[in-house]
């Protein structure tokens, strides 16, 4: 968002990123930095992945972001007690001075991503500064809000993107220059990604970054529920307050394009046979006795021609495509842009879930949202449910809808790589 020359330039703020004193693990007090990190809370495949992370190190961050106890209140109290204990024991220590943090992720497959971690002023969608592109589930926001209240901390950064142009040279120059120095920390996690972190504390550098980012708007790539949580908690605390800001990672996707993947659905109580019977005559259905990778290739080919989905869970794959136009006409809400009405996620939720299968999309007892494709299929086969595999949406479609103020169905996209949780935290009362 370059506001120069526009009459609303003085009325609309841009991104306001502020330094903070990062809370980080003391490497001498933990087994390894890799052993205490975790994917974001909503990417952890539970219970297998959760147990694996808990067992990797007694101080793994998953004990804060996904505490385990019989009741929500007990879980949040456990996270609060754990955080205070780790602070008292020196497992987590606060950096000596406020700063922003350059964060790098690198993989052998050629992926390189760098961005800036800081405390971003929380804003509403109507401000046009931070653009959401997905709806959120109220119960998830309530759960995250209760955890943040209990811990008084931002435990993991959201992933936000912006599109740099000529005015972004200052931030880019500083990021690249700082990345040439010895890092504060460096580790490689078991997914093959290496992570490095640097602090930016020079007042001149901080001012240049803040001035540059004030000319931009951002798209929420990952963390819609946590951003909605930031907004809720901000209203609970009189301003000015630390709750006016939330922890984010900002990535310039003009320089470091993100990968966009789909988020799949697991329908717990719907066997594949029942799902297929319900769509008979409404979609073209083809059984594919192939490998997962071959099935995904078939899905990608079908998605070029229109809406397409893969069902799995009975040992085979079933490709659904060519939905009945009359079915779409009576189930897809009107009055939205064509780009929204033709999204696979829109057809899945408005047509298949709501109308054909009659599955409530916001009920954890009926549906789970899983990022890992193979894990989704495996859980469906083990539990007797149906995996619905999705094809990813292109980033430009997401950004265009967000700029129009149009939100996509919840859990429509998975941008990555996502920042690892546990490398830097933000305590609001320190």
């Amino acid at each position: 968002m370059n506001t120069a020359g526009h009459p609303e330039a003085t009325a609309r703020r841009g991104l306001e990123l502020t330094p903070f004193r990062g809370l980080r693990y003391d490497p001498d007090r933990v087994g390894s930095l890799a052993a205490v990190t975790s994917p974001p809370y909503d990417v952890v495949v539970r219970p297998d992945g959760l147990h694996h992370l808990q067992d990797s190190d007694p101080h793994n961050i998953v004990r804060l972001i996904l505490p385990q106890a019989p009741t929500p209140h007990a879980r949040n109290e456990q996270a609060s007690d754990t955080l205070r204990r780790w602070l008292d024991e020196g497992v987590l220590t606060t950096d000596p001075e406020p700063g922003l943090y350059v964060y790098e992720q690198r993989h052998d497959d050629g992926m390189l991503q760098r961005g800036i971690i800081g405390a971003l002023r929380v804003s509403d969608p109507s401000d046009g500064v931070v653009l959401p592109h997905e709806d959120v589930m109220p119960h998830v926001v309530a759960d995250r809000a209760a955890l943040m209240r209990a811990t008084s901390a931002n435990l993991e950064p959201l992933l936000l993107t912006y599109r740099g142009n000529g005015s972004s040279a200052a931030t880019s120059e500083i990021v690249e220059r700082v990345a040439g120095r010895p890092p504060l920390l460096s580790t490689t996690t078991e997914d093959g990604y290496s992570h490095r972190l640097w602090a930016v504390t020079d007042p001149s550098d901080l001012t240049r970054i803040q001035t540059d980012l004030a000319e931009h708007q951002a798209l929420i790539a990952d963390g819609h529920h946590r951003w909605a949580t930031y907004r809720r908690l901000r209203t609970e605390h009189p301003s000015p307050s630390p709750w006016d800001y939330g922890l984010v990672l900002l990535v310039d996707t003009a320089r470091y394009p993100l990968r966009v993947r789909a988020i799949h659905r697991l329908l717990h109580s719907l066997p594949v046979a029942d799902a297929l019977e319900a769509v008979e005559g409404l979609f073209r259905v083809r059984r594919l006795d192939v490998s997962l990778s071959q099935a995904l290739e078939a899905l990608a080919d079908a998605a070029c021609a229109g809406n397409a989905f893969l069902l799995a869970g009975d040992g085979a794959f079933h490709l659904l495509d060519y939905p009945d136009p009359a079915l779409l006409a009576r189930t897809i809400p009107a009055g939205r842009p064509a780009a929204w009405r033709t999204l696979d996620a829109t057809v899945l939720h408005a047509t298949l879930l709501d109308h054909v299968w009659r599955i409530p999309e916001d009920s954890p007892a009926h549906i789970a949202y899983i990022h890992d494709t193979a894990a989704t299929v495996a859980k469906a086969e083990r539990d007797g449910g149906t995996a619905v595999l999705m094809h990813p949406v292109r980033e430009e479609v997401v950004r265009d809808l967000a700029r129009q103020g149009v939100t996509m169905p919840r859990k429509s996209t998975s941008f990555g790589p996502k920042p690892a949780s546990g490398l830097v935290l933000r305590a609001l009362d320190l």
Side-chain angles (χ1 to χ4, degrees):
M1 176 188 68
N2 191 335
T3 58
H6 289 263
E8 71 273 22
T10 57
R12 180 194 285 179
R13 287 195 308 255
L15 299 169
E16 185 181 327
L17 194 68
T18 66
F20 69 104
R21 294 178 64 199
L23 192 61
R24 298 189 294 111
Y25 282 99
D26 182 343
D28 295 331
R29 301 298 302 272
V30 298
S32 73
L33 289 175
V36 296
T37 65
S38 165
Y41 80 97
D42 59 337
V43 181
V44 176
V45 178
R46 289 166 271 187
D48 298 346
L50 178 64
H51 294 156
H52 171 71
L53 291 166
Q54 287 178 328
D55 294 342
S56 66
D57 190 283
H59 301 111
N60 189 282
I61 191 67
V62 78
R63 297 179 184 272
L64 298 182
I65 62 175
L66 288 172
Q68 299 299 294
T71 67
H73 177 75
R75 290 196 294 269
N76 296 328
E77 287 301 306
Q78 182 182 94
S80 177
D81 292 344
T82 300
L83 178 58
R84 298 303 152 187
R85 185 174 71 254
W86 289 356
L87 287 167
D88 291 343
E89 295 173 351
V91 173
L92 289 170
T93 60
T94 307
D95 283 338
E97 57 182 323
L100 300 175
Y101 295 84
V102 171
Y103 175 47
E104 176 190 278
Q105 293 162 279
R106 186 188 295 267
H107 196 275
D108 290 342
D109 64 6
M111 166 61 74
L112 172 63
Q113 178 173 289
R114 289 175 179 152
I116 292 279
I117 294 176
L120 184 68
R121 179 176 286 279
V122 178
S123 60
D124 295 322
S126 59
D127 296 328
V129 176
V130 175
L131 305 177
H133 69 267
E134 290 183 358
D135 292 330
V136 297
M137 292 175 273
H139 75 276
V140 177
V141 175
D143 175 75
R144 290 294 101 184
L147 178 63
M148 287 190 204
R149 285 192 206 98
T151 58
S152 191
N154 299 152
L155 300 172
E156 46 185 350
L158 285 63
L159 175 60
L160 273 59
T161 72
Y162 70 99
R163 299 290 292 180
N165 51 33
S167 68
S168 69
T171 301
S172 296
E173 183 272 320
I174 293 167
V175 165
E176 301 307 314
R177 170 163 48 84
V178 169
R181 302 173 183 167
L184 287 176
L185 64 85
S186 178
T187 190
T188 299
T189 46
E190 60 182 18
D191 58 4
Y193 278 92
S194 65
H195 307 261
R196 297 199 294 171
L197 192 77
W198 298 261
V200 180
T201 57
D202 179 83
S204 175
D205 285 344
L206 294 174
T207 297
R208 292 177 65 206
I209 291 172
Q210 291 171 314
T211 301
D212 176 22
L213 294 178
E215 299 298 319
H216 292 278
Q217 66 183 173
L219 175 74
I220 301 176
D222 184 68
H224 282 82
H225 289 90
R226 283 167 286 166
W227 185 255
T229 300
Y230 289 168
R231 292 176 52 217
R232 173 182 290 194
L233 294 174
R234 178 193 57 174
T235 66
E236 298 176 2
H237 298 82
S239 186
S241 116
W243 297 93
D244 292 339
Y245 299 83
L247 188 63
V248 306
L249 165 65
L250 274 167
V251 174
D252 176 1
T253 53
R255 190 172 184 88
Y256 295 108
L258 270 65
R259 293 174 174 173
V260 186
R261 294 187 171 93
I263 302 177
H264 309 296
R265 276 65 169 162
L266 175 61
L267 311 181
H268 297 298
S269 56
L270 182 67
V272 174
D274 294 348
L276 293 172
E277 182 180 0
V279 300
E280 186 176 349
L282 301 176
F283 284 74
R284 183 176 72 169
V285 181
R286 287 176 286 164
R287 179 186 173 103
L288 306 176
D289 291 300
V290 297
S291 67
L292 174 57
S293 62
Q294 291 171 318
L296 292 174
E297 289 178 4
L299 175 62
D301 290 340
C304 293
N307 301 118
F309 310 91
L310 270 180
L311 304 191
D314 63 350
F317 297 98
H318 307 270
L319 181 63
L320 275 58
D321 60 1
Y322 289 99
D324 177 12
L327 171 69
L328 299 182
R330 68 175 183 267
T331 58
I332 303 296
R336 297 287 191 97
W340 181 90
R341 300 184 79 247
T342 56
L343 287 170
D344 286 341
T346 299
V347 173
L348 172 63
H349 284 260
T351 302
L352 285 170
L353 292 179
D354 292 352
H355 181 79
V356 177
W357 293 328
R358 300 190 181 280
I359 292 176
E361 61 180 313
D362 57 355
S363 171
H366 293 88
I367 186 170
Y369 298 83
I370 304 177
H371 295 72
D372 186 277
T373 309
T376 310
V377 175
K379 288 177 71 68
E381 292 179 344
R382 183 173 64 234
D383 302 340
T386 294
V388 183
L389 306 183
M390 310 281 288
H391 186 66
V393 182
R394 291 177 291 114
E395 181 185 355
E396 51 266 36
V397 173
V398 176
R399 191 176 296 275
D400 182 59
L401 287 172
R403 284 177 172 156
Q404 296 179 57
V406 177
T407 55
M408 300 166 64
R410 58 198 60 170
K411 298 292 183 181
S412 294
T413 58
S414 175
F415 285 88
K418 305 176 191 303
S421 299
L423 296 181
V424 61
L425 293 66
R426 175 178 175 251
L428 281 79
D429 56 0
L430 292 179

